[in-house]
Amino acid sequence: MMRMIKRLFLMLIASMLFLCACGETERKVAEDNLVVIGMSQVGAESDWRVANSESMKEAFSEKNGYRLLFDDARQKQENQFTSIRRFIQQRVDYIVVMPISEDGWESVLEEARDAGIPVIVVDRRVNVGDGSLVTAHVGADFYAEGTSAVKWIEKNYANRDRVNIVHIRGTMGSTAQIGRTGALTAAFRNHTNWNLIKEMDGDFTQAKTYEVMRDYLESSSVKPVIDVVYCENDNEAFGAIDALEEAGYKCGDGGVAVISFDATHDGLVACRDGKIALEVECNPLLGPLAESVVRTMEEGGVPEKNQNVEESIFLPEDITDELLESRGY
Ligand code: AHR
């Protein structure tokens, strides 16, 4: 009998402790009245990405009413899955994810939905059959960006019998790569004089692009004639320019036309200096838009399902000191 009473007493204490612990988490959130955001970022592979992280952190700051749990996935989708599962356990209010690549998200997003946590996808997209797994998406139209670049090539190489193009792809399977590559691939079908002399993976990084471009140029028995290098972001452009110049190519007027995406500060400077022929903007300052999705929901509204940011293109002659100073990245 005594043993049973003791066991019941211990069970009572244990459940009281458990209830206190739960109450503690809830009370903490309620006390400071902050909305808890679990955020999974791709990594820090590019200048664009760094600016994007800063924008997200600023938008979801304490002064704006948020407690941000920020996780850097170091370019690995597996790490994103792990952090999202942790956010679910922590019972965050919202999950914000900048996905590395489009595929493979079903299971983890189903888990978030089952836990009743809205998921906001920022920048790239996820490819899921069930659209209800994503509450809203905020980002760019990457195919439209690629189309802007293609139009520039069409205009500037209109009367050429042959246009030799090197293509450096971004992270394979990411929306940015799929869109920008897609626009170029479609253009090849319409221009029989466009000649794809080499296609390589730069993974959106300067180091990898420098390496693959250097290896390609070093391994060619005859120095390739290159008209255009289509890089899928600024860091790839920087790596390509370094390797091209080392191999004796001139980038810019009368030489190789390097095309780039992002239009970050350093990309625009390289464009103003004539080394990048065209900058197609990709705006990383997505924090305010993503935050407005959460705010709408906090106020009981329904956010727009898809929001694309406005973007433009820049040519060397467009880039003034005032323009450089006016931009936030
Ligand atoms: O998804 C956006 C792309 O990812 C940017 O163009 C690139 O710089 C980044 O790493």
Side-chain angles (χ1 to χ4, degrees), residues 45-46 48-49 123-124 142 176 180 204 232-233 262 282:
E45 75 283 5
S46 61
W48 187 100
R49 185 66 53 198
D123 170 27
R124 305 170 186 175
F142 297 107
R180 293 166 188 168
F204 286 130
E232 292 192 356
N233 80 344
D262 284 356
C282 180

Side-chain angles (χ1 to χ4, degrees), residues 187-220:
F188 273 114
R189 284 195 288 271
N190 300 329
H191 298 280
T192 46
N193 59 329
W194 289 18
N195 182 28
L196 179 64
I197 56 170
K198 188 74 183 167
E199 191 163 50
M200 297 175 277
D201 292 342
D203 208 12
F204 286 130
T205 70
Q206 183 162 347
K208 174 129 192 239
T209 304
Y210 169 76
E211 215 175 282
V212 293
M213 186 61 127
R214 182 203 55 199
D215 292 353
Y216 163 58
L217 297 173
E218 277 178 8
S219 64
S220 307

Side-chain angles (χ1 to χ4, degrees), residues 24 26 33 46 52 65 92 96 138 169 225 237 281 296 310 324:
E24 183 60 22
E26 272 158 24
N33 213 15
S46 61
N52 177 247
V92 299
V96 176
V138 167
R169 295 182 294 213
V225 175
E281 184 180 33
T296 302
E310 294 262 317
L324 288 172

